[in-house]
Amino acid sequence: MRFGVLGPVTAWTDAGTPVVIQGLKVRALLADLLVHEGRPVPADRLIDDLWGSNLPGNPAGTLSAKVSQLRRAFEDAEPGSRSLVKSGPAGYSVSVSSATYDALQFGELLASGSVDEALALWRGSAYADFTDEAFVETAVVRLSEQRLAALEQADLPVSELGVLVSEHPLREGLRAAHMRALYRAGRQSEALESYEQLRQLLLDDLGLDPGPELVALQQSILTQDLPHARNNLPAQLSGLIGRSDALTDVSSSLSTSRLVTLTGPGGVGKTRLALAAATDAADRFADGAVLVELAAVTPDALSVADSLTDAVQIALDLRDTGGSPVIDRLAAVMGSRLLVLDNCEQVIEDVAALTDRLLAAAPGLRVLATSREPLGLAGEVVWTVPPLDVPSPSSGVEAASTCSAVQLFVTRAAAASRGFALTDETLTDVAVLCRRLDGIPLALELAATRVRALGVRGLVARLDDRFRLLAAGHRGAAPRQQTLHAMIDWSWELLAPDEQSVLRRLAVHADGCTAEAAAAVCGEDDVLDVLVRLVDRSLVVPVDGTRFRLLESVAAYCMEKLRAADELEAVRQRHLAYYVSLAESAELYGDEQGRWLQLLDDDAANLRTALDRAVSTGQSDLAARLVDALAWYWFLRGRHMEAMRALDAVPLGAWRVGYMYLLGDSRAAAERERWVDSADARGLWWIAYTASDAGDLPMCLELLERALKSFDGDQWGVAAVLLARAKHAHVRADLPALFADASESARIFRSLGDRWGALQATSWLGAHAELVGDFDESMRLHLEGAQLAEELGLWPEVASALGMVGWTSIRQGRYDVAQVNADRAYRLATEQGQRANQALAELVLGFAARRTGALDEAAVRLQTMIDRARQQSEPVLYLSIVLEELGYVRELQGRLTEALELHREAFEVSVEFESLRGMCWALEGIAGCHPDKTLAATLLGCAAATRATENYLMAATETLDLDRASAAALASLGADAYEIARRRGASLAPEQAFQLLRD
C-alpha cells in the first residue's frame, strides 16, 4: 500500500489501483495519521482533530468505528493491508516508509539532491482536500516551504518562474531563480527589471532592501559576469546502480584530463555512466555540459564531417549561418564547457579529427566520449567500463546483496514483478543468472523483464539451454558480446511476429521516432500497443513520453534482422516517403508555427537521413520536394549552411539565390539573374528579402512590387512584402511609409498567428518609435520582440532585438544600459554567426564608448567595422553612420583632416542609399571640423531646414555635437554673419550644400 499527501490525500495498492475510502471522517482520520508519519497519535488528539467541539455521543467508540472502516477499506483493496493501521497504548498509527509515503520520499530525494524527482511527486497543494483543518496546518506549511525551496533550485522555464514570482513576490530565492532564467534566455533588461520590482516591493511593504546575495546577483547581471551555461543532459528515469566507484574514477579523470573516453562492449553501460559523470561534473563548467548524440551519424551520410558539426551545433543551439569556418565558431563559444560525445564508434575517425581540432582551439573545453574503441588522440585517458560485480557461488544473501549486478537485477525484476525480492530461496538462482550474464547491465535488464512470466528459476533453466544452443553461432565474438547477443536473440524469439516486425523496422530511424512515424515506416495502421509491449520488455526506450528509440546494441541487432528478412530497402523507402510527407505537411507560416518547429527539431536527424537517401539513390523528385519543404524551416532555425549543402545537391533556384545572399556569397547576384524570371511570387519575395542587406535597394524594391502584384489572396505574402518594404523605408528614413507598412504587416501576421512575421514587424515599429522620439514605446516593442523570439528559439532575432534595445538606450543617453544589452547581443550574434546582428551590437558599443569618453576604444571598434565593410563587394547599409561616428571621434581627438574625410565619405554613401537623414548627419559632422566657418554655418542651415521639412527628430543626446559645431561657427563669424550663412544654407538641398564643399 502506498500513500500520498502531496496533493489530495490518497492511498493506492501496490498495483497502482486507487483505494476507495468512504466517508469524510474516515479520510480525515487517514490524513491525521499520515501527518504524524508513522508515530502513534493518542485517541484524544484524534477525536479533537476530527470533531473539535462537535463531539459525537460516544467519541471513543465512534473513533474506533472509523478506524475499523479505514482498515476494512485497506483490506478490500489489498488483502493483508488492514495491519498497516496499528493501535497500542500510545494511540493509533499507520505504517509508512519513504518507499510507501510520498511526503517521506520527497524529503529523502531532496536530501540526496534529486530535486527534479522530488518535485515530480507533487500533484497539487499538500493535503489539498483538508487544507482548512487545523491538524494539517503545520505539515502543510513545512511541506510547502520545502517545495518552494526545491523550486528555487530546479531548472524551470522562465514562464513557470514568472508565475511563481507573482504568487510569492517577496521571496528572494524565487526572484533570484527568475532573474537567472531571464538573463540566460537573453532577456537581460527584464532580469534587471525583476530585481527592481522586488526592491520597490520590499521598500514599500517592509521598509527593507534586498539581501546581499540578490544584490550581488544584480551586479553580476549588470557586469555580464554570470555564465551563460547550457545543459541539455537528459534527466534519468532510474538511479545508477552499482557504479559509485566508477563514477568517482571518471569524475577524477575529468578533473585532470581534457579527453576521457569510456570504452567497452555494447550493453555494458557506457552512456549511462557518462551521463551520470557529466551531471556530477556539470557545475564545474561555467558554460555547462552538453550531450551530443552521434548514433544518428552513420558512414552513409553524404558528408560525415558536416553531419558531425551539425550535431554539435544543434546540441549547442547554434545557427550555421556561414561566416568564419565552423570549427572556429564552435571553438569561440565553447568557453568552459564539458562536451559529451556519445556513440562515437560508427564514425570514429571523423569524430577523432573533430575532437582533436576542438580541443586544440578551445582551451576551456573538456570532452567525455563513449565508444567501443578509443579515439586514439594524444592525451586521451581511456577508461574501460567494466561489467557489474557478480556474486561468488558461496555468497550468502547479505554478501550477494552488495554485488552491483544483483542490485540491478533485483531492482528491475521487482519493478517488473511486484513482490520479487532477494531471499534465501531466490539467492542461488539470482547469483547463477548474474554470473551467467557476465554482469552486463543490458542483459540483466532484459532478463529481469521475464521474471514475472517464468520466475527466476525458470529463467535460469531456459538461459542455460539458450546459451548452449547459441554458443556455436557466435564463436567469432568476444565472450561478453556473445552473452549480450544471445540475450537479445532470446528476447527476440520470445516476441510475437507483429512485435518482431515492428522492432526490426524501427532500426531505420535516426534518433528515435513518434508512434505515427513508426506505424508509417512499419507499414501498419497503428503500432502503439506493440511499442508499449516492447517498452515493457526493455527493447524500446520511451523518450519524453511521445517518442521511442532503440538502444544502440538492439538497433544493430535489428538491422541484421531487417537485412535477413530482405526488408531493408523497402523499409528505408517508406522512411523516406514518410519524412517527405511530414516536411510537406508542416505548417510553418501561421499559428501552428511554434509546434511544427519543435516537431521538425525532434526529427531533424530523420529528415537528414531521408534527404541523404533521396540524393544518394538518385530520387531527384523526392529530394526536391523535401528540400523545398524544409528550406523555410532551415531559415527559421538559422541552419543556413545545412540548407546550402542541400541546395548544392538539389539546386532549387530561388531558394539557392536567397541562401547565397545570406551567406555573403559574391556569386549571388549572377545566380539571381539565372533564376529571377522563373521565380514565383514567394521566390521573388525571398530573393528581395535576403538581398536587401547586400545594398541593391532599387532592384529589391522592384522585385517586391512584382511579388506583391502576384500574391493573389496570399495574405502571408502580402504581409511579407510590407515587412521588407518597411526595412527599405527605414533606410530612407521615410517615416510615414515605415509606419504604414510595418503596422499593416504586423496586423496581418498577428491575424494569421505567424509569430516570426509579427516579431519582424514589431521590430520595425520599434524602429519607427525610436525615430520619432517615443523611446519608451520603442523599448517596449523591442523587449516584446526579444520575448517573442525567445519563445520561438530564434536566437539571432533575440540578438537583433537586444541590439535595438541598446540603440534606443543610446538615443536616451542611458549608456550603461546600452552597453549591457549590446554586450549580450554581440555574444549571441557571435554564437549564431549573425554578421548583421554583430554589426548592430558593435555599433552600439562604439557609440556608447564615444559618448562615455572612451575615445580610443570607440576608434578601434568603429574603424574595425569600416574596414570590414570596405572589404565587401556590395555597399553596406550601416557604413554611413559608422563613418559619421568615427568622424566625431577624430574631431574630439583633434584629428580634423581625418574627421573631414570620414564625414565626406558618409555623405556620399548616404546619397547612394537615398538617405536624407544620413546626409543631414554628414553635413553637421563636416560643419564641426571644417576650417571655413561660413561654409560650416551654411551646411548647418541646410541640415536644419531639411530636418524640419522631413520631420527628422534630433535626440537630446545628438545635440551636443551640433551645439559644438554651431558654437564654433557663431564664435568665429559673429551673430549676423552666422545667421546670413544659415539662411543661405536653408535654401539649398543637401546635394547642393555638399557641392559647395567640393567647389
Side-chain angles (χ1 to χ4, degrees):
M1 190 76 67
R2 293 179 292 128
F3 303 98
V5 296
L6 304 181
V9 177
T10 316
W12 303 272
T13 65
D14 286 339
T17 305
V19 178
V20 178
I21 301 173
Q22 299 290 348
L24 179 61
K25 293 300 183 185
V26 182
R27 294 200 302 275
L29 171 63
L30 175 60
D32 206 343
L33 295 175
L34 290 172
V35 164
H36 293 85
E37 300 179 345
R39 299 184 300 275
V41 189
D44 290 346
R45 174 69 180 273
L46 289 170
I47 291 169
D48 186 53
D49 288 344
L50 267 61
W51 288 282
S53 59
N54 299 317
L55 292 175
N58 180 2
T62 305
L63 175 61
S64 179
K66 299 302 180 188
V67 171
S68 296
Q69 286 179 257
L70 182 60
R71 284 172 171 159
R72 187 161 57 251
F74 286 179
E75 187 69 21
D76 290 345
E78 194 167 68
S81 294
R82 66 179 297 114
S83 62
L84 292 174
V85 181
K86 303 181 182 302
S87 60
Y92 294 98
S93 64
V94 61
S95 295
V96 292
S97 68
S98 60
T100 62
Y101 183 28
D102 63 0
L104 291 176
Q105 187 182 6
F106 176 65
E108 192 172 276
L109 287 170
L110 285 185
S112 67
S114 303
V115 175
D116 291 337
E117 276 187 77
L119 289 171
L121 296 174
W122 284 76
R123 298 166 287 113
S125 301
Y127 296 90
D129 37 358
F130 294 102
T131 49
D132 293 333
E133 301 294 338
F135 66 83
V136 301
E137 182 178 354
T138 301
V140 168
V141 170
R142 174 176 55 82
L143 288 168
S144 299
E145 175 61 29
Q146 287 180 319
R147 185 190 189 196
L148 284 172
L151 288 167
E152 292 170 355
Q153 303 172 44
D155 186 16
L156 298 178
V158 171
S159 56
E160 288 186 33
L161 285 167
V163 172
L164 288 168
V165 164
S166 66
E167 293 173 353
H168 308 277
L170 296 177
R171 192 175 179 94
E172 294 198 11
L174 284 176
R175 185 72 64 164
H178 188 227
M179 290 167 63
R180 289 191 188 95
L182 286 167
Y183 176 82
R184 287 171 177 154
R187 296 159 62 178
Q188 189 168 345
S189 296
E190 290 175 75
L192 295 171
E193 286 175 15
S194 183
Y195 172 85
E196 183 59 27
Q197 288 170 4
L198 175 65
R199 190 192 67 77
Q200 198 62 50
L201 281 171
L202 287 172
L203 186 63
D204 294 344
D205 294 357
L206 304 173
L208 299 174
D209 291 323
E213 292 183 3
L214 206 65
V215 172
L217 175 60
Q218 184 229 17
Q219 289 301 311
S220 295
I221 292 174
L222 278 171
T223 58
Q224 303 280 305
D225 291 335
L226 208 60
H228 294 265
R230 172 167 173 75
N231 187 332
N232 70 344
L233 301 177
Q236 298 305 301
L237 300 178
S238 56
L240 184 64
I241 296 174
R243 294 295 195 192
S244 56
D245 290 343
L247 199 54
T248 300
D249 286 350
V250 174
S251 297
S252 176
S253 296
L254 283 172
S255 298
T256 57
S257 304
R258 296 188 61 209
L259 172 60
V260 178
T261 303
L262 306 186
T263 63
V268 80
K270 300 184 294 294
T271 297
R272 187 71 180 83
L273 177 58
L275 291 176
T279 300
D280 279 1
D283 289 343
R284 304 198 321 242
F285 297 90
D287 295 294
V290 172
L291 169 66
V292 185
E293 300 263 17
L294 299 180
V297 181
T298 70
D300 297 332
L302 293 178
S303 170
V304 172
D306 288 337
S307 295
L308 286 174
T309 52
D310 283 348
V312 175
Q313 289 183 104
I314 289 170
L316 290 167
D317 202 13
L318 300 180
R319 275 45 179 167
D320 60 346
T321 50
S324 57
V326 64
I327 298 295
D328 294 344
R329 287 189 50 237
L330 288 174
V333 303
M334 284 300 172
S336 170
R337 195 185 304 270
L338 174 63
L339 208 59
V340 183
L341 303 178
D342 190 34
N343 291 313
C344 301
E345 55 273 349
Q346 291 191 98
V347 286
I348 188 75
E349 292 182 3
D350 292 274
V351 173
L354 174 62
T355 303
D356 194 30
R357 294 178 65 188
L358 285 176
L359 287 171
L365 173 66
R366 300 207 172 201
V367 173
L368 177 60
T370 73
S371 176
R372 294 190 181 183
E373 58 181 294
L375 271 62
L377 298 177
E380 178 183 24
V381 172
V382 179
W383 204 93
T384 302
V385 179
L388 298 175
D389 297 332
V390 299
S392 67
S394 60
S395 296
V397 172
E398 186 174 348
S401 65
T402 64
C403 293
S404 51
V406 173
Q407 292 171 353
L408 177 63
F409 178 79
V410 171
T411 300
R412 299 295 185 259
S417 177
R418 291 194 177 277
F420 178 83
L422 184 67
T423 63
D424 289 331
E425 183 179 347
T426 59
L427 170 62
T428 301
D429 293 321
V430 170
V432 169
L433 184 141
C434 290
R435 291 196 300 273
R436 193 69 186 85
L437 295 180
D438 294 325
I440 299 174
L442 179 54
L444 291 166
E445 296 203 14
L446 291 172
T449 66
R450 294 292 165 183
V451 169
R452 184 174 183 178
L454 301 174
V456 69
R457 180 157 298 174
L459 180 59
V460 170
R462 284 164 175 76
L463 278 180
D464 283 341
D465 291 341
R466 185 71 195 167
F467 287 154
R468 279 194 294 272
L469 178 66
L470 293 173
H474 304 288
R475 293 188 186 280
R480 290 194 180 107
Q481 289 173 308
Q482 293 179 31
T483 299
L484 181 60
H485 194 287
M487 194 64 230
I488 297 175
D489 212 19
W490 185 51
S491 297
W492 168 269
E493 294 194 2
L494 291 172
L495 298 176
D498 61 335
E499 294 169 338
Q500 291 180 343
S501 175
V502 169
L503 185 62
R504 68 173 175 260
R505 293 170 184 176
L506 288 177
V508 300
H509 288 95
D511 200 24
C513 64
T514 62
E516 293 79 9
V521 173
C522 292
E524 304 288 345
D525 292 334
D526 186 3
V527 297
L528 184 58
D529 288 343
V530 177
L531 288 171
V532 171
R533 295 201 299 272
L534 293 172
V535 168
D536 290 341
R537 290 162 173 74
S538 294
L539 291 165
V540 170
V541 179
V543 182
D544 296 333
T546 59
R547 295 177 64 81
F548 302 86
R549 67 178 179 86
L550 301 183
L551 293 174
E552 176 257 343
S553 299
V554 177
Y557 176 91
C558 290
M559 192 60 76
E560 293 178 13
K561 288 295 183 183
L562 203 55
R563 289 191 177 94
D566 196 25
E567 294 180 342
L568 181 58
E569 289 306 308
V571 174
R572 280 179 167 169
Q573 193 63 24
R574 286 202 295 268
H575 178 277
L576 169 58
Y578 173 79
Y579 283 101
V580 171
S581 174
L582 177 73
E584 289 182 327
S585 65
E587 299 177 19
L588 295 174
Y589 296 94
D591 57 5
E592 291 291 301
Q593 188 177 70
R595 184 176 73 87
W596 273 103
L597 282 173
Q598 185 59 56
L599 290 174
L600 295 180
D601 287 347
D602 292 342
D603 268 317
N606 280 310
L607 292 164
R608 281 195 299 274
T609 298
L611 180 58
D612 286 347
R613 173 173 173 78
V615 173
S616 64
T617 56
Q619 300 182 69
S620 56
D621 179 59
L622 287 176
R625 286 170 56 191
L626 188 53
V627 171
D628 187 49
L630 290 176
W632 186 244
Y633 162 73
W634 285 325
F635 173 73
L636 291 177
R637 280 295 183 242
R639 315 294 312 157
H640 297 178
M641 290 300 297
E642 183 176 353
M644 200 67 241
R645 289 195 298 271
L647 288 162
D648 283 339
V650 186
L652 303 182
W655 283 121
R656 180 177 166 79
V657 172
Y659 276 106
M660 291 177 74
Y661 272 119
L662 289 172
L663 292 168
D665 192 321
S666 60
R667 300 168 297 168
E671 189 76 1
R672 180 193 72 221
E673 294 306 311
R674 288 183 56 201
W675 298 102
V676 70
D677 289 338
S678 60
D680 62 10
R682 289 206 180 188
L684 292 171
W685 171 82
W686 168 248
I687 293 172
Y689 181 79
T690 54
S692 60
D693 283 330
D696 192 348
L697 300 188
M699 178 275 297
C700 292
L701 281 171
E702 179 191 345
L703 294 184
L704 289 173
E705 293 308 315
R706 284 174 55 187
L708 186 60
K709 293 175 183 177
S710 302
F711 277 130
D712 185 17
D714 184 348
Q715 285 298 292
W716 191 94
V718 171
V721 169
L722 295 174
L723 175 71
R725 287 201 327 200
K727 180 176 184 177
H728 289 261
H730 183 263
V731 172
R732 301 190 310 272
D734 185 342
L735 301 184
L738 170 59
F739 184 76
D741 284 346
S743 296
E744 181 62 9
S745 177
R747 185 193 67 78
I748 297 173
F749 276 130
R750 284 171 181 151
S751 71
L752 296 173
D754 189 296
R755 293 160 74 190
W756 175 84
L759 163 65
Q760 307 301 319
T762 296
S763 175
W764 291 118
L765 286 173
H768 176 270
E770 176 257 322
L771 288 177
V772 299
D774 191 349
F775 298 129
D776 289 342
E777 176 66 1
S778 177
M779 189 74 76
R780 185 190 70 79
L781 289 166
H782 290 310
L783 287 172
E784 177 186 324
Q787 184 172 353
L788 264 175
E790 182 207 341
E791 290 171 357
L792 282 174
L794 301 178
W795 298 111
E797 278 72 16
V798 174
S800 175
L802 291 175
M804 288 306 298
V805 169
W807 175 247
T808 305
S809 300
I810 290 287
R811 303 268 280 157
Q812 291 175 303
R814 299 167 63 196
Y815 303 123
D816 55 342
V817 176
Q819 287 174 317
V820 165
N821 283 281
D823 275 334
R824 178 64 179 140
Y826 183 80
R827 225 179 352 251
L828 271 174
T830 301
E831 288 177 359
Q832 306 302 331
Q834 287 280 322
R835 289 169 298 175
N837 291 335
Q838 272 182 292
L840 174 58
E842 286 178 306
L843 180 72
V844 173
L845 291 170
F847 271 64
R850 201 264 286 189
R851 284 157 169 73
T852 55
L855 298 181
D856 290 342
E857 178 190 344
V860 171
R861 288 187 181 277
L862 298 167
Q863 187 64 58
T864 300
M865 292 185 71
I866 292 169
D867 292 343
R868 193 181 302 129
R870 285 171 173 165
Q871 291 170 6
Q872 298 187 35
S873 57
E874 301 284 352
V876 176
L877 296 181
Y878 61 76
L879 179 58
S880 64
I881 195 171
V882 180
L883 288 165
E884 287 153 8
E885 189 68 4
L886 183 58
Y888 283 124
V889 172
R890 295 307 186 205
E891 178 200 340
L892 292 171
Q893 290 176 326
R895 298 159 64 171
L896 300 182
T897 301
E898 292 178 50
L900 182 58
E901 288 307 311
L902 288 163
H903 288 304
R904 290 175 64 122
E905 184 180 353
F907 186 92
E908 291 164 352
V909 172
S910 298
V911 169
E912 189 173 352
F913 286 128
E914 300 179 9
S915 174
L916 281 173
R917 191 170 183 239
M919 295 181 211
C920 291
W921 269 332
L923 292 176
E924 290 158 354
I926 293 169
C929 57
H930 200 284
D932 184 340
K933 295 308 175 185
T934 300
L935 177 59
T938 303
L939 298 181
L940 291 172
C942 174
T946 304
R947 283 186 182 278
T949 301
E950 300 295 332
N951 197 27
Y952 291 153
L953 170 81
M954 175 165 280
T957 55
E958 296 169 345
T959 60
L960 295 175
D961 298 318
L962 180 60
D963 291 346
R964 192 170 62 252
S966 299
L970 181 60
S972 174
L973 300 175
D976 292 341
Y978 175 75
E979 284 302 322
I980 292 171
R982 278 184 65 91
R983 284 196 297 273
R984 180 192 176 199
S987 67
L988 301 175
E991 291 94 333
Q992 293 173 317
F994 188 72
Q995 187 60 44
L996 296 177
L997 180 68
R998 289 175 173 158
D999 294 341

